Amino acid sequence: MIKTCLWTLAFFIPTPTSILAQTNSYAFDTKPVPLFETFSLKRIETGKEAGRLVTFLPALFADDEGGMVQLMEAEINPDSVVHMLTIAKGEEVVFQSFLSDFIPHYAEGVEMVDLNKDGLKDVVLTFATGGNGLAANWRWVLVLLQKVENTFELHRFTNMLPDETYGLFRDMDGDGSFEMVVGSHTNVMDAGSPDVHSYWFFNVFGWQNGKPVNLNPNWNFPLVYRHLDTINRKADPRFSASQKKQFFTLATLPEYVYSDGKVSAPALLKSVFRSQDFRPSEQIKESNRPKSNRPIQNRNLIFFMIGGTGLFIFVAITLLWLKGQRKTTVKDDM
């Protein structure tokens, strides 16, 4: 009986470290991710106009000078408030963008890294939309690509990734420049589809001439996953290329907005919170979103720990069984 149990354990113990580690990963999870420097947006009370969100990013610019990222509300008149995103270098505001149709509540963090391999640090801000249920997976993403002369371009869009995915950016072709894996969710109700059901699906976008473009054909995207009650990592094979293009291909980023960040209304900045009112030493260098530096390694570590624990139990039982066999042999010899 003991011998049978040992052989059973020997068969199942490797499963967590090999099979489970693969079936619990999306197809793009093995691609390199950026090594972000991660910060938090701090809320500053400023009298009547309270609630400014601000963070200081050290060595943001090419001359190693830090930059101040601020989300602010400027009151034009008692009935009109303008929401703005600014970046300041010292006392000079070098970037200004009006955030129409978007109010920056529920900040999740700020990340800084060179995304497009041009030697300049870029900035990524993420905001939860405040939804619940399935809508809780929906995020606003603001990607600020730094240009020469300390200017930025803002690419704002929405992204919807399942809770168990980590990060937005992947180096799909290993060239050091990071593409974006954009998640979405839809119900396929068309009579010509293989099944009437809901699906998670992923498109991949890159940068061409400073603008995001769909690069699905380069890596056989979109990837389509049937939405089940359990975690599903098996891409649905039933959709043809034409059906994928019809139901799941995103021609552009969802709710995409572009801004060149030119300071067009400096007068609005005079009466609102400015960088000199915040001490960089107060910056909290922590983010409350999952770390995107080591997604696969961390998740697979769980499976290796399970397998290691099982292996330890297997070895311990084997040694006890051999000890018992030895005692039996010695007793028989006597």
Side-chain angles (χ1 to χ4, degrees):
M1 179 65 181
I2 294 177
K3 192 173 181 180
T4 302
C5 292
L6 289 174
W7 280 111
T8 304
L9 283 172
F11 176 78
F12 283 106
I13 282 172
T15 301
T17 59
S18 57
I19 299 175
L20 291 180
Q22 297 174 17
T23 58
N24 282 273
S25 297
Y26 286 109
F28 52 85
D29 279 344
T30 57
K31 302 298 182 180
V33 296
L35 295 177
F36 281 113
E37 296 178 73
T38 308
F39 305 88
S40 290
L41 284 162
K42 186 172 183 179
R43 192 172 294 276
I44 303 294
E45 300 295 330
T46 57
K48 291 182 180 180
E49 298 179 353
R52 304 283 183 256
L53 293 172
V54 57
T55 190
F56 179 79
L57 302 181
L60 171 62
F61 298 102
D63 58 4
D64 287 336
E65 186 172 347
M68 186 71 62
V69 178
Q70 302 173 72
L71 293 126
M72 56 183 68
E73 301 87 39
E75 187 177 288
I76 298 177
N77 58 59
D79 298 322
S80 180
V81 175
V82 176
H83 299 276
M84 287 191 298
L85 169 64
T86 70
I87 298 179
K89 182 182 181 184
E91 302 300 317
E92 179 188 4
V93 175
V94 297
F95 173 92
Q96 177 191 69
S97 181
F98 297 100
L99 303 174
S100 58
D101 302 320
F102 166 64
I103 300 175
H105 298 317
Y106 314 113
E108 292 193 323
V110 183
E111 294 171 316
M112 181 173 67
V113 77
D114 181 5
L115 289 171
N116 51 4
K117 200 181 175 183
D118 62 357
L120 300 172
K121 291 183 180 179
D122 307 306
V123 181
V124 180
L125 297 93
T126 54
F127 297 85
T129 59
N132 53 43
L134 190 61
N137 302 92
W138 186 38
R139 298 286 186 274
W140 282 100
V141 181
L142 283 69
V143 177
L144 292 151
L145 296 179
Q146 187 171 176
K147 301 301 178 183
V148 295
E149 300 179 355
N150 305 325
T151 60
F152 291 81
E153 291 180 349
L154 171 66
H155 303 271
R156 194 183 85 200
F157 57 98
T158 57
N159 192 33
M160 196 172 186
L161 292 172
D163 283 333
E164 67 275 5
T165 58
Y166 296 85
L168 168 69
F169 298 95
R170 292 289 189 277
D171 184 358
M172 299 297 294
D173 51 11
D175 66 348
S177 181
F178 294 93
E179 287 76 30
M180 296 183 296
V181 176
V182 178
S184 299
H185 187 275
T186 190
N187 293 321
V188 176
M189 303 297 291
D190 189 274
S193 67
D195 194 6
V196 177
H197 199 78
S198 58
Y199 296 88
W200 289 103
F201 62 101
F202 303 92
N203 285 250
V204 60
F205 283 81
W207 307 99
Q208 288 183 5
N209 300 321
K211 297 298 177 74
V213 293
N214 186 292
L215 299 178
N216 281 350
N218 294 7
W219 297 286
N220 199 29
F221 276 67
L223 301 177
V224 182
Y225 297 84
R226 191 178 179 91
H227 189 176
L228 304 175
D229 291 334
T230 57
I231 295 177
N232 177 28
R233 293 293 183 280
K234 184 178 180 181
D236 198 313
R238 292 173 297 173
F239 290 95
S240 65
S242 60
Q243 288 172 324
K244 285 183 179 181
K245 188 172 182 179
Q246 177 184 357
F247 296 115
F248 305 109
T249 296
L250 300 176
T252 59
L253 291 172
E255 302 183 75
Y256 177 72
V257 174
Y258 169 83
S259 172
D260 60 12
K262 293 179 180 178
V263 180
S264 56
L268 291 177
L269 300 173
K270 294 179 180 179
S271 61
V272 298
F273 178 75
R274 295 294 301 275
S275 59
Q276 59 265 28
D277 301 314
F278 174 70
R279 292 182 299 233
S281 60
E282 297 177 349
Q283 173 61 41
I284 304 171
K285 290 188 177 181
E286 276 299 325
S287 172
N288 60 356
R289 67 174 295 190
K291 300 294 183 183
S292 50
N293 297 12
R294 296 287 185 268
I296 302 308
Q297 293 89 333
N298 288 346
R299 188 163 60 250
N300 283 353
L301 179 61
I302 297 173
F303 297 113
F304 288 120
M305 289 175 64
I306 295 172
T309 302
L311 182 60
F312 174 79
I313 295 172
F314 172 74
V315 171
I317 293 175
T318 301
L319 291 175
L320 289 173
W321 177 71
L322 291 174
K323 184 178 180 181
Q325 290 292 101
R326 184 178 179 184
K327 285 183 177 180
T328 302
T329 302
V330 171
K331 187 181 291 186
D332 292 341
D333 292 341
M334 293 176 63

